[in-house]
Amino acid sequence: MRVEVLGCSGGIGGGRRTSALRVDDDILLDCGTGVGDLSPDELSRIRHVFLTHPHMDHVACLPMLVDTLFAQLKDAPLMVYATPPCIEILQAHIFNWQVWPDFQTLPAPDSPVVRFRPVEWGETVTLGARRIDVLPAIHTVPACGYRVEGNGGAFAYTGDCTSNDSLWKALNAHDRLDLLVVECAFGDSEIDLARRAGHYCPELLVHDLAKLGHDPRICITHLKPGEEARVFEQLRRRAPQRALLQLRGREVFQL
């Protein structure tokens, strides 16, 4: 199983791309601006998109992806997996004929080029040899993360979240975790803002990592632009025993 980081920043500018991971060549976890760097041929191979929540930095490329692939999707629609509240938000505020066409009705209501598939915490979606488990996550809007297991290993992606017990219990329920992609948006001086915004800071994240029964490589994502080095150094000081990696984009992991 191949995992590629297409976007990992909490914002744009200076080559930064927002959240998106590609699993093998046909699955996206989130659909931020990093997706725009894929070639037309690479885009054409995407068949499944798993969204963690509907915030713009995680869904920005989804409308344009569907539009770009429109002709190719007529025979096999793009499958988009998300929690029911996330789907409702996308339908009401993006695919609404005002911000963007409603591709759930094109080219015809009975043969749309995109289909939304609701998922719930604790559910499992199986795609070939890959098992995708829907993880609980706490954010300012209904959210989830994903654990993906294939023949070669398992990794988890939290999406945007803040301190909670349920996520870590769900990860501990499995006997393997080789890689963890987890957010840490703010520095410790902004811990109150992190709590209000539904994000981690180093203090909150290290406290929660103690709940994890695995010792995976930990990849830090969603650092706020301009604050990346400072926040990551705070994390390293708080968790010197952890195998931490600051994601910058275009990293590839082979599991």
Side-chain angles (χ1 to χ4, degrees), residues 47 49 59 88 102 127 135-136 145 151 162 165 171 190 226 237:
R47 313 297 338 139
V49 179
V59 304
E88 291 173 7
D102 181 5
L127 298 174
L135 302 173
N151 291 330
T162 192
D165 290 330
L171 291 174
E190 297 179 298
R237 289 199 303 266

Side-chain angles (χ1 to χ4, degrees), residues 46-102:
I46 296 169
R47 313 297 338 139
H48 308 274
V49 179
F50 290 80
L51 300 176
T52 60
H53 66 291
H55 281 164
M56 187 60 70
D57 53 330
H58 294 253
V59 304
C61 273
L62 179 62
M64 290 174 284
L65 176 64
V66 179
D67 191 38
T68 298
L69 299 181
F70 184 84
Q72 299 162 251
L73 296 175
K74 290 180 180 179
D75 295 326
L78 183 72
M79 296 298 299
V80 178
Y81 307 77
T83 63
C86 179
I87 293 172
E88 291 173 7
I89 290 169
L90 293 173
Q91 291 171 331
H93 301 292
I94 294 181
F95 296 101
N96 59 6
W97 289 110
Q98 296 174 317
V99 173
W100 209 248
D102 181 5

Side-chain angles (χ1 to χ4, degrees), residues 8 28 105 130 134 142 191 202-203 229:
C8 57
L28 290 178
T105 65
R130 286 106 20 124
V134 185
I191 188 171
E203 180 178 338

Side-chain angles (χ1 to χ4, degrees), residues 6-20 32-37 248:
L6 302 177
C8 57
S9 178
I12 60 173
R16 297 176 179 89
R17 304 289 188 269
T18 67
S19 300
T33 61
V35 174
D37 289 334
R248 302 176 188 277

